[in-house]
Amino acid sequence: MADRAAWVERAMAGMTEAGVRVVALSWVDNAGISRAKAVPLGRLHQLAGHGVGMSPVFDTFLVDDSTARTDGHGGPCGDLLLLPDMNRLVPLAAQPGWAWAPADRYGQDGAPYPGCHRSFVNRMVRRAADLGLSLLMGFETEWSLGPGGLGDGPAYGLSRLADSGAYLLDVVDALTAQGVEVLQVHPEYEPGQFEVSTAAEDPLGAADTAVLVRHTVRTVSHAHGLRASFAPLTTPSGIGNGGHVHLSLWRGEENLMHGGTGPRGMTSEGEAFLAGVLRSLPALTAIGCPAPASYLRLAPSAWAGAYRCWGWENREAALRFVTGPAHEASRCANAELKCFDQAANPYLVVGSVIAAGLAGCEEALRLPEEYSDDPAHADPVELERRGVERLPAGLDEAVRHLEGSAVLRKAMGDHLFGSVLAVRDAESVLFADSTRTQTVEATRWRY
């Protein structure tokens, strides 16, 4: 205990030296919105051990800040404790005077709260460890700048850097100063759209980093007089912003996505994990594409991964297998889930994907034949023969798959699973009568 107190004191001293005066403690709700409470730095020593109070009602918050009405979840009564993860405490480079830390939620008795998403990830990581397995995961973050923003010009065009170069430098510099390893940053398909990819790390770290990256992009954008949106769709006729997830499965120092006799060199365990994810994709869609707006983006022939299939370097497959350069395949081979977007809670995403994959390992599942074309242009009879099917075309359909998933229900536990379903059902009702344009306009600046 004394060692921890001394460690906290050193962390606070480092924050003081960095000019930090206030610390934002953040969590992400079931609607995918990052929420926060902020405390003066001087209180952090106390809060690191005892937490700050917060209401459980956030379990049922919707994207518009209304709440789902459901028994047993959320509500005005009760209180929780929000405890910062001091290991991720970091000064915000683009927001002088502020620091950030992700937070875990606990009950007043000190027990982990069953609705805590970071606790869910940790449980799934421990389940993998019990099998001798670990994972590396990472997110690609796409965003769009509002009207009058930077980056007009050809898709992926070098010319876009003429007016956005200084802005992107500030994004990269801020992320680097916060300890985030940037792999690449570039203009994306739509005008004013960009993407940054960050290095793979442990699953909880990857989800934390996804939250930090988005907040950093927002603050840098604000400093440039711009507004950033991570919404699935920002214009009614646009392509939209994805939230692709990369993952690899490891046993010790061995990458199980390489060096085996399975498809594309996967080991049997690597194949089984991906087969489990592929099997659960219709249900996982309700986690990774959690909003009515998500299904405006999840369209065929848009590189959104709208079909449940896998393929080597196939950007129209929901599960894209990536081997990387031949001389680095043992380190780089991984899989990418292309169908998800950034309305999703990243903690729910990584925890649910791990749960689905581990179920595949436990059942020694095998992948179907890979698909190497755009399913939207194929003969429907041939697609049916090969087991290739369209992912849910709407949130209601995805939620029905989630309701029927014994794998995800067991992994989340009744409390978390029930609160997720309550929010999904309520948002379906909220947007039931909205047009495409109304849905986009209502959610553009919420994510």
Side-chain angles (χ1 to χ4, degrees), residues 151-349:
D152 289 343
Y156 309 99
L158 177 62
S159 63
R160 290 193 189 180
L161 298 185
D163 62 355
S164 63
Y167 166 73
L168 292 179
L169 275 177
D170 285 350
V171 170
V172 172
D173 285 348
L175 292 173
T176 302
Q178 293 163 179
V180 176
E181 183 181 352
V182 175
L183 298 180
Q184 62 179 10
V185 62
H186 59 83
E188 253 288 343
Y189 186 85
E190 292 188 323
Q193 185 184 38
F194 301 93
E195 177 184 305
V196 64
S197 299
T198 55
E201 50 192 312
D202 68 275
L204 184 61
D208 286 339
T209 295
V211 176
L212 180 58
V213 166
R214 286 180 235 180
H215 185 70
T216 302
V217 168
R218 287 190 186 99
T219 53
V220 171
S221 300
H222 181 75
H224 281 258
L226 302 167
R227 195 175 189 185
S229 172
F230 302 90
L233 211 62
T234 57
T235 62
S237 59
I239 295 296
N241 295 309
H244 306 166
V245 184
H246 288 261
L247 66 93
S248 55
L249 185 71
W250 297 73
R251 182 173 292 281
E253 298 299 314
E254 180 189 4
N255 182 357
L256 300 177
M257 301 298 175
H258 173 79
T261 59
R264 297 290 176 179
M266 303 174 202
T267 67
S268 58
E269 284 180 300
E271 179 186 1
F273 188 95
L274 295 186
V277 173
L278 191 66
R279 178 182 65 177
S280 289
L281 261 186
L284 287 170
T285 306
I287 302 298
C289 305
S294 298
Y295 298 86
L296 305 181
R297 170 192 166 270
L298 191 60
S301 301
W303 288 17
Y307 285 83
R308 188 173 72 95
C309 59
W310 79 278
W312 178 71
E313 296 291 8
N314 185 352
R315 288 172 171 82
E316 283 295 346
L319 185 62
R320 170 191 172 215
F321 190 68
V322 183
T323 50
H327 65 285
E328 293 187 335
S330 62
R331 180 178 64 87
C332 295
N334 70 92
E336 177 190 24
L337 282 162
K338 293 188 62 63
C339 49
F340 296 167
D341 63 57
Q342 290 172 98
N345 178 320
Y347 303 100
L348 280 175
V349 166

Side-chain angles (χ1 to χ4, degrees), residues 15-38:
M15 294 298 106
T16 300
E17 184 177 350
V20 170
R21 302 192 300 279
V22 184
V23 180
L25 313 181
S26 79
W27 72 99
V28 184
D29 67 19
N30 287 316
I33 305 298
S34 294
R35 311 281 181 178
K37 284 200 167 187

